[in-house]
Amino acid sequence: MRYIIVGAGAVGGAIGGRLAESGHDVVLVARGAQYEALRTGGLRLVTPDGPRTHRLPVVDRPEALDLTADDVLVLAVKTQDTAAALDAWSVRPVEGGSTAGERLPLVCAQNGVESERLALRRFRQVYGMCVWLPATFVEPGEVSAAGTPLTGILHLGRYPTGTDGTARLIAADLEKSKLLAPVVPDVMRWKYGKLLANLANAIEAVTGPLAEQDALALFERALAEGQAVLAAAGIDPVGQEEQAEARAGRIRFEPFDGSPHGGGSSWQSLSRGTGTIEADFLNGEIVLLGHLHGVPTPVNDVLRHTANTFAREGREPGSMAVADLVALVDAGIS
């Protein structure tokens, strides 16, 4: 199989680079400065076992690539960019007839739970992937990933439920590439569990790493809302103990000397000045479900709004004091 990595940023670059290292055909899809850097200098993937530069095929649009029946599309863009990517790729012709949406598998390697819903409107074969792969977009053309001996753990399954031979083939390729990929019949349970953890992303993005007790307490408040909402919706996410057991002894992190702190995905969006952030699909997912099921979610609503304001106004990540964010939350509740 050939892997088309749609969104060759931190996660997409790490997955694509590791697949390439183990001999798999990989095409990277990127835009702007990232596309130019990948095209001219290749992908530099920095891991604890050393840096490697992969000179891989790279395109900046679907029209620049001829698709075959053996291709797998791996969607690794932020959720706010999902709809545009799906629109562009789903209609592309595949060698032998028909379109990508009708013939090719699509793997959603993203945070949140919205992309799979969007994808199933356009693709017949949709797979969810719960991504636990801490990686940083260092600069155009360079990605770092500090996990060792595994680079990441990627639970994989058919959407909305089930497994199949394609999932098992993809998982086998990933597991030859320093990426553990358990195939599970209930992948969205894993993604909802990750969603709860990602409720901290907005706090980190606007105030910095969750080191202060007040920041941790604020996350606990957001988490309590999330758990209440999922219970009201009848959703049973994977718990923290099950997640910890899945990772135990399989991966550890070795920092890179001199490398900058990249923060989580939302922090990185602010630091790169993209103008958008995924808060609508993390904290905002909890707010949406709260509205649908009659559960108040004032903490997550303020976190969503504040993170969006930071992105829209181009504010620096970590530039708000934790006390000020807590005050905004308390004002929104009163």
Side-chain angles (χ1 to χ4, degrees), residues 1-7 11-12 15 19 71-77 82 86 100 104-110 115-116 119 123-131 154-159 164 166-171 174 181 187 191:
M1 294 187 290
R2 181 176 67 164
Y3 291 90
I4 316 298
I5 311 296
V6 183
V11 168
I15 293 175
L19 283 168
D71 288 338
V72 175
L73 297 173
V74 179
L75 192 62
V77 299
T82 289
L86 292 172
L104 299 186
L106 176 89
V107 179
C108 296
Q110 301 159 285
S115 287
E116 287 83 0
F123 281 80
R124 291 182 178 176
Q125 301 178 66
V126 176
Y127 299 82
M129 177 179 281
C130 182
V131 177
L154 311 171
H155 285 79
L156 176 68
R158 190 77 183 248
Y159 179 79
D164 61 16
T166 298
R168 288 186 285 272
L169 287 172
I170 294 170
L174 292 168
V187 69
K191 297 203 72 167

Side-chain angles (χ1 to χ4, degrees), residues 128-147:
M129 177 179 281
C130 182
V131 177
W132 198 66
L133 194 169
T136 300
F137 180 95
V138 179
E139 62 182 11
E142 182 172 337
V143 169
S144 69

Side-chain angles (χ1 to χ4, degrees), residues 176-198:
K176 296 173 185 174
S177 311
K178 297 189 177 182
L179 294 161
L180 183 63
V183 177
V184 294
D186 53 356
V187 69
M188 296 312 291
R189 284 190 66 237
W190 290 89
K191 297 203 72 167
Y192 276 106
K194 177 78 182 301
L195 171 67
L196 291 176
N198 286 147

